[in-house]
Amino acid sequence: MSDRSPAGQFLDAAIDLLRRVRDEEADSIAAAGTLLADTVEQGGRLFAFGAGHSSLAAQDLVYRAGGLALMNLLAVPGVVGVDVMPAPLGSALERVDGLAAAVLDNSPLRAGDALLIISLSGRNALPVEMALHARALGVKVIGVTSVAYASETKSRHSSGTFLKDHCDLVLDSRIAVGDAELTHDKVPAPFAPASTVVTSALLQAVMATTATTLADRGIEPPLLRSGNVDGGHDWNARVMEQYGDRIFYRH
């Protein structure tokens, strides 16, 4: 019997979304993992970008125990997280034309690299231009978004397009427009967002696929270990020395 408490309802909703992603995005997850494995094998570098709360899922991939050491955060000043003051400034910067191009032109990204762009709505200028400009540089782009926004909202980019329209691969988080899973007859707005839980799990599924694909090709995946287990620091130092020219979060 299911738990009908608010906590139980939210967890059930999150579990249902995770099941949908598992069942409906399996092919896309496999393709994304293969694309990243190809990039690693061919000497490319890996980057992840997200604005606002979407940045949480990007940050979850970087310098992470059990994660790929080669994943770097592409940071855009003012939109990396909710520590921006005032907080609405971060949302406003997502709608600024030209910001993505300026960031990419001053980043280490180059042809042959891969970039994960995470944007729940995919409608703002920043993720759309990020994808457009990155692909023009010869970077492979994987968009992580809720495709439903493209049919239920209007783009905020001058082209009228969404992130999903400018990617080599798209991963659909299946999050409903508004990102709130619960309602209550005495609460005037829906509440309990699940996008962080689902998007983080979706991306970790991609990372697991990448690591396994590399191993199946006879290539040891460049994984980090926890610094809180014996030998972890020595292991990580070896990986970082071996791949130092493809790791940018140490400088």
Side-chain angles (χ1 to χ4, degrees), residues 21-93:
V21 166
R22 179 196 64 192
D23 297 340
E24 299 173 21
E25 292 299 301
D27 290 345
S28 296
I29 290 170
T34 299
L35 187 155
L36 295 183
D38 290 345
T39 303
V40 172
E41 184 175 6
Q42 294 163 10
R45 294 86 58 81
L46 308 180
F47 295 84
F49 164 76
H53 285 91
S54 290
S55 180
L56 297 174
Q59 293 178 54
D60 188 51
L61 300 176
V62 179
Y63 190 52
R64 183 67 193 261
L68 291 171
L70 304 190
M71 186 61 70
N72 300 279
L73 184 68
L74 180 64
V76 177
V79 305
V80 173
V82 293
D83 58 340
V84 178
M85 295 297 288
L89 174 61
S91 298
L93 289 173

Side-chain angles (χ1 to χ4, degrees), residues 232-248:
H233 288 299
D234 291 339
W235 172 282
N236 293 340
R238 176 183 65 81
V239 172
M240 290 189 180
E241 181 178 0
Q242 182 178 353
Y243 292 96
D245 60 336
R246 297 156 78 178
I247 296 171
F248 299 94

Side-chain angles (χ1 to χ4, degrees), residues 87-163:
L89 174 61
S91 298
L93 289 173
E94 290 186 61
R95 299 191 286 272
V96 173
D97 291 337
L99 179 57
V103 168
L104 285 172
D105 288 344
N106 289 278
S107 79
L109 268 94
R110 66 188 184 194
D113 292 345
L115 172 62
L116 288 154
I117 300 178
I118 305 157
S119 173
L120 180 60
S121 73
R123 70 189 296 223
N124 288 314
L126 183 55
V128 173
E129 290 185 357
M130 186 78 73
L132 275 166
H133 200 65
R135 293 183 84 192
L137 294 173
V139 174
K140 294 292 187 181
V141 173
I142 300 174
V144 187
T145 187
S146 170
V147 172
Y149 276 83
S151 59
E152 298 183 38
T153 68
K154 292 183 178 180
S155 170
R156 289 185 175 134
H157 187 250
S158 57
S159 66
T161 60
F162 288 74
L163 168 62

Side-chain angles (χ1 to χ4, degrees), residues 3 13 31 38 52 56 111 124 130-131 134 183 200 203 211 249:
D3 179 1
D38 290 345
L56 297 174
N124 288 314
M130 186 78 73
T183 59
S200 292
L203 287 169
Y249 48 80

Side-chain angles (χ1 to χ4, degrees), residues 174-191:
R174 308 286 170 166
I175 300 294
V177 173
D179 191 18
E181 294 300 319
L182 302 185
T183 59
H184 189 283
D185 57 7
K186 294 183 179 178
V187 179
F191 54 99

